[in-house]
């Protein structure tokens, strides 16, 4: 007698996904055993692919996000797209070229912090860093127990076994929908730092870039090491539970992570209560945060206030606020006489910025902010851009990532700058969701008064994966020698900003955080105070009038660096 129960039809994408996964599974050990020289040849070919589609990639993304053709804001899509991806490839190549004996570690300056931890300088690393990122420094602070003497045991672990003994894995990467370099950089991390072949499921929000990625990543696709597919949440769920998928990585929302790990609705409640995840596979993630910017009181000049207002406005409005490390909590000194002037300058910068909010749900999230925050001001902006909402942080749920043009302000009273800084850090640690990125703006004179070593001891208690001093933590994303991810310690039960890191071209393990420091003043104004940087207004600033030109020039430079390309870059940088 036939079973009368209706048969459940497989989803429409099942055959395509099964075929892709079967091919990847067949090639996973081949990739794990590919020689360093073979890997370098593939990376070099990827650079050709990126350059072939760079213009189409950047301009398509700009058009889909509502940016006017030829607008300087197109530069955001160049810099956070093909440029950052090309830079990621370039950062991996020197590491691979010195993999024998992990010789690449010998070129990294180290020092011991007041905490006893080891700090490793990863920027500047080349002559090009010293010229194009003049004055910008980045250190990786390692977890306790990692020293200069044992560093080789905490780096490039995927390369410790002889090639013929390595076993590969199949990984699922769930692509991000906002910044276009995230997805290929996540794929490169899985391939090169974890020896895993990848099935990449594009995010429906930006799957218009699939054709560009297919060209850019063609060398890996042709060898059977990468497959790129499209689909919605149902497709992601199918892949996450597929028996051939051994590990997962997502850049996205904590809600998506939790739905995969625990399920949804009553199922999730039962699984959490019982401590039985629905999906037990290793799952790394970058899930955003409510990122703070701490403004430390000091002798800021009117020019300092204008420049740092552009810095803060960029932290909030780059990509229209649709960034995992967009500034969402501006922490201000309560009685600082320059505070009102700084807020007013931020409003002026915002009013002149005309980028639409394109990410789904932005309007609803802004409406929720306007309803819950107190003393909300609507800063009108030109064009199709929605207003920037500025309100008191105390009236808004600081556990929610707004992911839209909304900025909460928290005022903290303190007797002096050091006491204030400690209180601001304590507030952020205790009240703000996530630990991905944070920023501190501090005048050099104030920093000298506190003392460099004492200042470092203070920020050692600031629990964020990337801390930017006088810059934006987004620099830690662009500089792919830096590990990128949450402060360590999150679990699947309380994932917050995620688990693990990506990028990390020096392949360091057991990292704790990255500290990036940018110049307080841009060139040439810095010369008046004895500054040594040659960096003018950064090209990623939303106020940079030449960033669309700089984006193209910098991408071409990353493709084939050369001295003859520098004059045009410096010329347009000064015009910005």
């Amino acid at each position: 007698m036939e079973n009368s129960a209706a048969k459940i039809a497989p989803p429409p994408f099942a055959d395509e996904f099964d075929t892709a996964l079967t091919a990847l599974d067949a090639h996973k050990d081949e990739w794990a055993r590919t020689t360093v020289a073979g890997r370098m040849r593939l990376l070099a070919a990827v650079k050709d692919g990126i350059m072939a589609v760079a213009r189409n990639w950047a301009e398509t993304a700009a058009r889909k996000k509502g940016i006017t053709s030829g607008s300087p804001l197109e530069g955001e899509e160049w810099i956070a797209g093909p440029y950052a991806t090309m830079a990621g490839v370039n950062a991996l190549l020197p590491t691979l070229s010195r993999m024998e004996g992990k010789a690449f570690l010998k070129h990294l300056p180290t020092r011991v912090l007041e905490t006893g931890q080891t700090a490793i300088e990863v920027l500047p690393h080349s002559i090009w860093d010293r010229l194009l990122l003049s004055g910008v420094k980045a250190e990786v602070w390692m977890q306790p127990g990692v020293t200069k003497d044992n560093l080789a045991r905490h780096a490039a672990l995927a390369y410790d076994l002889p090639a013929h003994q390595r076993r590969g894995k199949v990984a699922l990467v769930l692509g991000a929908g906002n910044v276009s370099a995230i997805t290929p950089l996540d794929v490169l991390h899985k391939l090169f730092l974890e020896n895993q072949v990848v099935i990449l499921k594009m995010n429906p929000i930006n799957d218009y870039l699939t054709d560009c990625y297919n060209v850019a990543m063609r060398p890996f696709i042709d060898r059977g090491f990468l497959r790129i597919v499209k689909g919605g949440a149902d497709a992601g769920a199918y892949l996450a539970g597929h028996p051939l998928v051994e590990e997962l990585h997502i850049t996205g929302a904590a809600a998506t992570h939790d739905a995969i790990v625990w399920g949804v609705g009553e199922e999730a409640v039962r699984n959490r209560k019982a401590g039985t995840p629905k999906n037990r596979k290793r799952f790394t993630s970058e899930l955003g945060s409510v990122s703070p910017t701490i403004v430390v009181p000091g002798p800021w000049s009117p020019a300092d206030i204008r420049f740092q207002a552009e810095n803060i406005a960029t932290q909030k409005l780059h990509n229209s606020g649709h960034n995992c490390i967009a500034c969402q909590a501006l922490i201000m000194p309560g009685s600082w006489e320059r505070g009102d002037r700084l807020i007013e300058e931020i409003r002026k910068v915002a009013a002149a910025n005309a980028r639409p909010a394109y990410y789904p749900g932005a309007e609803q999230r802004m409406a929720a902010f306007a309803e819950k925050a107190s003393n909300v001001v609507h800063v009108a902006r030109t064009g199709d851009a929605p207003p920037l909402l500025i309100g008191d942080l105390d009236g808004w749920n600081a556990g929610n990532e707004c992911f839209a043009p909304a900025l909460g302000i928290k005022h903290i009273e303190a007797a002096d700058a050091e006491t204030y800084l400690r209180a601001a850090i304590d507030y952020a640690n205790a009240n703000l969701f996530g630990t991905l990125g944070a920023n501190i703006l501090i005048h050099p004179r104030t920093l000298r008064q506190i003392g460099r070593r004492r200042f470092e001891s203070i920020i050692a208690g600031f629990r964020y994966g990337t801390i930017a001093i006088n810059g934006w933590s987004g620099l830690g994303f662009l500089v792919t020698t830096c590990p990128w991810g949450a402060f360590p310690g999150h679990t699947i039960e309380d994932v917050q900003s995620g688990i693990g890191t990506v990028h990390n071209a020096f392949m360091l393990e057991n990292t704790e955080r990255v500290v990036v420091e940018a110049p307080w003043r841009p060139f040439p104004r810095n010369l008046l105070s004895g500054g040594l940087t040659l960096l003018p207004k950064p090209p990623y600033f939303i106020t940079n009038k030449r960033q669309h030109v700089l984006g193209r020039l910098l991408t071409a430079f990353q493709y084939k660096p050369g001295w003859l390309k520098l004059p045009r870059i410096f010329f347009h940088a000064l015009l910005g």
Side-chain angles (χ1 to χ4, degrees):
M1 182 176 177
E2 290 186 0
N3 190 335
S4 59
K7 294 182 179 179
I8 300 175
F13 43 71
D15 286 345
E16 176 194 356
F17 291 3
D18 291 351
T19 300
L21 287 168
T22 300
L24 289 167
D25 189 63
H27 289 89
K28 64 184 182 183
D29 289 343
E30 178 189 349
W31 167 249
R33 296 167 184 171
T34 298
T35 65
V36 168
R39 293 178 178 216
M40 292 179 67
R41 285 193 293 271
L42 289 172
L43 272 180
V46 166
K47 290 182 65 173
D48 293 336
I50 295 170
M51 201 63 206
V53 296
R55 181 177 292 275
N56 184 36
W57 175 345
E59 292 181 354
T60 297
R63 185 171 66 251
K64 292 290 186 178
K65 293 180 179 183
I67 296 173
T68 303
S69 179
S71 163
L73 289 175
E74 278 189 350
E76 291 187 11
E77 299 308 320
W78 276 96
I79 294 169
Y83 165 81
T85 307
M86 193 87 77
V89 172
N90 280 343
L92 283 169
L93 284 167
T95 298
L96 292 168
S97 71
R98 301 184 182 98
M99 185 58 70
E100 184 69 28
K102 300 184 183 178
F104 62 89
L105 296 174
K106 298 175 183 178
H107 301 276
L108 299 178
T110 63
R111 66 187 180 100
V112 178
L113 301 166
E114 289 289 291
T115 61
Q117 294 168 260
T118 299
I120 302 172
E121 184 181 286
V122 296
L123 184 82
H125 186 63
S126 68
I127 184 62
W128 308 127
D129 292 340
R130 289 175 169 83
L131 290 172
L132 295 175
L133 291 169
S134 176
V136 179
K137 299 177 290 184
E139 285 186 328
V140 179
W141 292 12
M142 305 299 289
Q143 294 181 32
V146 180
T147 68
K148 181 179 180 180
D149 292 337
N150 67 21
L151 186 58
R153 299 202 301 271
H154 299 275
L157 300 187
Y159 296 80
D160 282 351
L161 281 176
H164 69 277
Q165 295 181 15
R166 295 177 196 155
R167 299 292 302 273
K169 289 184 178 181
V170 177
L172 166 64
V173 170
L174 297 170
N178 56 339
V179 173
S180 64
I182 292 175
T183 297
L185 289 174
D186 287 352
V187 169
L188 290 175
H189 180 92
K190 279 293 184 184
L191 285 165
F192 284 88
L193 277 75
E194 300 191 17
N195 275 342
Q196 298 176 13
V197 296
V198 175
I199 185 163
L200 163 63
K201 192 199 78 68
M202 295 291 291
N203 192 303
I205 295 171
N206 65 356
D207 63 8
Y208 52 77
L209 290 173
T210 302
D211 290 343
C212 290
Y213 291 164
N214 273 321
V215 174
M217 310 293 280
R218 177 62 59 189
F220 299 116
I221 295 171
D222 286 347
R223 292 285 300 274
F225 305 146
L226 172 65
R227 290 291 183 269
I228 304 176
V229 298
K230 297 181 183 181
D234 55 344
Y238 180 84
L239 289 168
H242 200 286
L244 291 180
V245 169
E246 298 165 83
E247 296 199 7
L248 305 92
H249 178 79
I250 182 175
T251 297
T256 303
H257 170 277
D258 289 348
I260 292 171
V261 173
W262 301 105
V264 296
E266 293 183 2
E267 177 191 31
V269 174
R270 289 194 304 271
N271 286 337
R272 282 185 178 276
K273 186 175 181 179
T276 55
K278 177 181 178 180
N279 192 317
R280 295 178 178 272
K281 299 171 184 178
R282 178 174 179 263
F283 197 172
T284 55
S285 50
E286 190 267 83
L287 306 172
S289 65
V290 175
S291 297
T293 295
I294 298 175
V295 173
V296 181
W300 295 30
S301 70
D304 294 336
I305 290 173
R306 286 193 297 271
F307 179 72
Q308 296 303 336
E310 294 180 54
N311 189 1
I312 295 168
T314 295
Q315 294 171 15
K316 175 70 267 180
L317 295 174
H318 181 278
N319 201 29
S320 204
H322 307 315
N323 284 328
C324 296
I325 33 77
C327 173
Q328 290 188 204
L330 183 62
I331 303 177
M332 295 284 294
S335 300
W336 188 42
E337 67 277 8
R338 294 169 172 84
D340 289 344
R341 175 70 180 275
L342 178 62
I343 298 298
E344 181 57 33
E345 289 294 331
I346 294 171
R347 292 178 183 176
K348 290 179 181 178
V349 175
N353 178 264
R355 183 162 189 168
Y358 68 89
Y359 211 85
E363 184 176 340
Q364 292 82 357
R365 290 188 294 274
M366 292 179 68
F369 179 90
E371 179 183 353
K372 295 177 182 178
S374 56
N375 302 318
V376 175
V377 175
H378 292 63
V379 181
R381 297 191 287 158
T382 58
D384 296 328
L388 170 64
L389 305 184
I390 301 178
D392 291 344
L393 190 61
D394 286 339
W396 175 57
N397 181 3
N400 289 335
E401 186 181 8
C402 193
F403 220 65
L407 177 65
I409 297 180
K410 170 68 178 179
H411 288 91
I412 292 178
E413 297 285 354
D416 56 73
E418 181 178 334
T419 303
Y420 163 81
L421 177 59
R422 291 180 183 273
I425 287 173
D426 289 344
Y427 172 83
N429 285 339
N431 294 280
L432 303 183
F433 166 81
T435 63
L436 183 60
N439 317 290
I440 298 173
L441 304 181
I442 182 168
H443 193 283
R445 190 183 306 170
T446 308
L447 182 53
R448 287 194 297 271
Q449 289 170 350
I450 294 174
R452 170 66 66 170
R453 302 290 282 187
R454 189 175 183 85
F455 176 76
E456 289 179 350
S457 295
I458 294 170
I459 66 171
F462 203 12
R463 296 193 297 272
Y464 284 83
T466 297
I467 299 172
I469 311 301
N470 295 334
W472 180 30
S473 55
L475 274 168
F477 172 89
L478 285 175
V479 178
T480 54
T481 52
C482 299
W484 179 252
F487 193 80
H490 297 314
T491 64
I492 58 171
E493 290 80 12
D494 182 24
V495 73
Q496 293 206 34
S497 290
I499 298 169
T501 64
V502 290
H503 304 182
N504 191 15
F506 291 121
M507 304 187 184
L508 302 171
E509 303 282 346
N510 301 114
T511 62
E512 183 183 79
R513 76 183 81 207
V514 170
V515 177
V516 183
E517 186 165 356
W520 173 253
R521 297 184 178 97
F523 178 85
R525 187 166 62 86
N526 65 301
L527 297 177
L528 298 175
S529 55
L532 299 177
T533 178
L534 296 176
L535 185 71
K537 181 185 296 184
Y540 61 84
F541 267 32
I542 61 173
T543 51
N544 193 306
K545 299 174 183 177
R546 307 299 293 172
Q547 64 171 305
H548 55 318
V549 179
L550 286 167
R552 294 195 298 270
L553 294 176
L554 288 169
T555 302
F557 183 88
Q558 285 287 344
Y559 178 52
K560 289 185 177 179
W563 292 99
L564 295 179
K565 295 181 179 180
L566 292 177
R568 287 188 69 197
I569 292 173
F570 287 139
F571 173 75
H572 288 284
L574 288 170
L575 291 179

